[in-house]
Amino acid sequence: MIVTFLAALAFLYPMTTATRAPSKNAAPPTDLSRSSPESAEDDSAKNSFPTAKDLVSEFLFRGGADQAASSGGQTKPGYTIDLLIATVPDPVSSRLPHFFDSFVESLESAAEASGYTLDRFALPWLEKGNSAGDYVPSWRHTLYETVPGLILYRDPQHQKLLLVFLVGETPTTGIHKRAMFAALEQMAQFYSWDPKHEELPQSFPRTTDSGPVDNLRIMGPSFSGSAASLRFVLDTWSESRTDISHPRFQIISGTATAIDANWLAKAAQGRTTFQATVPPDSETLQAIACYIDRLSYQKFAILTEGNTAYGQNFTKQSAEGKVTNGAEHVACGNGQRAPEILSLPFPMHISRLRAASKATLPLAQGTPGTASPDPAPASPSHERSAEPREDLPSFSELSVQSAELTLSNLLSTIAREQYSYVGIVATDVRDVTFLAREVREHCPATILFTLNSDLLYAYPDVNGATRGMIIITP
């Protein structure tokens, strides 16, 4: 049941941000990310990064007095362990570090609510050469693309452990396949049917699953576009096994809304189930259309990402008279057809246009010898992040001006056709706030709506554009 609880909180907590004080009686968590000597070679770094076995060994044999027995390095008997793979927005490659923080915060909150305390962790994104400020060629695999992050939680009172594997993903390229495969291999080692299970000490904690089938739990994907890469890894991993009769995958997503559940359930030779805690886009879009129809408006527009599966799914469904799989729109409660939907695609991370445009302008004139003014407080639209590894780069400054003209044409279409309602469908909250500001400036009478809630919409720097925006959530 813990995976269901975690998935539900993964949907709830990204909407909010919170700061929690550590438990007074809890031992401080240990960061094992830098416990091994750093190496410039990729293979050396991968081999030195802790595995799930290493992390649990650290807890069992070198933990605090309440974690290990007092003699001979023997552990307290009866420890059990729950295992979970969580696919999370990559804080470096996806250029969405705030999403990563929200998802990990959700995991920690869910674990705390279940009686666990953070014990130790190892995150490949903290290693030298893998952080946001480090340049890595796009053709070279980084450490976080090849190994999963690890978080270990403990509950000494009930002698339980919870081990979470963190696998990064991006909206366009999907999950990091090598890291996902490594997570599956490390997770499988804890089960008796895995050939490498014999390498574990006899005192290692046993899994809580019992019966002829073991459920390998996956919380994810975070993005709808990761479904294809997730199935690819599950199929590849199952084909690499001589016996696939014991494991079965249970996948639950708290954010992805454009995944074909029947298609994903065919992964791993059909030994997979997929569920989502949020309704699919087809149902959401239909509800929005009927709501606007009741307000006596016959058409509305949606600004969608053009380079993600999430945005493309909306574009496909908003085609005139069509929804998912080409079926006709269902009539609303009044018997009338749903209003016409105009889909206007835009590139992901469009909010960086303004920053890039300002960077190409000459510096503001100032008095020679005087210090520059203090920088403005950080805001959602000014957060610094690494260059993405998921998008093709631009080599000309003219590309910025061309993209701005494209956006201007989109806004002119909305104003000319007098669309009263305009939706913004974007993965990045900064894109939502940026487009909301642009629409307000060009079409002040337009009513905005979006499908993702976030407290950042209330930030003073952007609240002028998002005030009055309708937020539609389950």
Side-chain angles (χ1 to χ4, degrees), residues 424-426 428-437 450 457 469:
I424 303 176
V425 177
D428 194 341
V429 64
R430 293 168 296 187
D431 290 345
V432 176
T433 57
F434 171 77
L435 289 172
R437 181 182 289 111
T450 188
Y457 295 148
M469 182 172 64

Side-chain angles (χ1 to χ4, degrees), residues 259-398:
I259 294 180
D260 187 340
N262 295 328
W263 177 82
L264 187 56
K266 297 178 182 178
Q269 303 176 22
R271 302 182 62 81
T272 303
T273 60
F274 173 77
Q275 295 173 305
T277 62
V278 289
D281 291 337
S282 57
E283 296 180 6
T284 303
L285 190 60
Q286 183 67 31
I288 295 172
C290 292
Y291 170 78
I292 294 178
D293 177 69
R294 289 195 297 269
L295 300 177
S296 300
Y297 292 101
Q298 295 304 314
K299 60 181 181 179
F300 64 97
I302 294 183
L303 298 171
T304 61
E305 294 172 342
N307 55 342
T308 65
Y310 176 53
Q312 291 174 359
N313 186 63
F314 265 93
T315 301
K316 184 188 304 180
Q317 295 182 42
S318 60
E320 184 176 359
K322 302 292 182 182
V323 290
T324 306
N325 299 326
E328 292 188 359
H329 274 301
V330 179
C332 299
N334 56 9
Q336 299 294 324
R337 283 177 53 86
E340 176 188 344
I341 305 171
L342 175 65
S343 177
L344 301 173
F346 64 86
M348 188 181 177
H349 301 306
I350 196 173
S351 60
R352 292 176 66 89
L353 280 178
R354 190 63 62 195
S357 177
K358 291 181 179 180
T360 61
L361 297 177
L363 296 176
Q365 296 181 354
T367 304
T370 59
S372 59
D374 295 334
S379 69
S381 58
H382 297 117
E383 183 186 30
R384 294 181 179 179
S385 56
E387 288 300 317
R389 293 166 60 86
E390 58 170 345
D391 298 332
L392 291 173
S394 298
F395 293 93
S396 171
E397 294 178 356
L398 296 179

Side-chain angles (χ1 to χ4, degrees), residues 189-260:
Q189 189 176 11
F190 285 84
Y191 295 92
S192 59
W193 43 263
D194 186 78
K196 296 183 180 180
H197 181 74
E198 297 179 353
E199 300 177 5
L200 299 180
Q202 294 183 354
S203 56
F204 246 55
R206 65 185 186 277
T207 58
T208 56
D209 289 331
S210 59
V213 176
D214 293 315
N215 287 319
L216 304 188
R217 300 174 177 87
I218 300 176
M219 192 185 76
S222 304
F223 306 118
S224 300
S226 299
S229 56
L230 176 59
R231 177 174 172 177
F232 183 88
V233 176
L234 296 182
D235 289 339
T236 303
W237 185 82
S238 63
E239 291 171 359
S240 68
R241 294 274 159 168
T242 56
D243 184 8
I244 196 67
S245 61
H246 296 288
R248 185 175 183 86
F249 294 99
Q250 180 185 6
I251 307 175
I252 298 181
S253 176
T255 53
T257 58
I259 294 180
D260 187 340

Side-chain angles (χ1 to χ4, degrees), residues 109-159:
S109 298
E112 291 175 357
S114 299
Y116 291 98
T117 302
L118 177 62
D119 185 82
R120 62 195 68 231
F121 59 90
L123 301 179
W125 298 277
L126 299 178
E127 294 295 291
K128 183 179 180 180
N130 293 273
S131 62
D134 298 321
Y135 171 75
V136 179
S138 59
W139 45 264
R140 178 181 297 173
H141 289 292
T142 59
L143 181 63
Y144 57 79
E145 291 176 317
T146 57
V147 298
L150 302 167
I151 305 179
L152 182 66
Y153 297 94
R154 67 178 187 269
D155 181 3
Q157 182 178 359
H158 299 94
Q159 294 187 331

Side-chain angles (χ1 to χ4, degrees), residues 454-468:
D454 199 301
L455 281 179
L456 292 177
Y457 295 148
Y459 194 85
D461 183 60
V462 300
N463 187 241
T466 58
R467 185 182 296 112

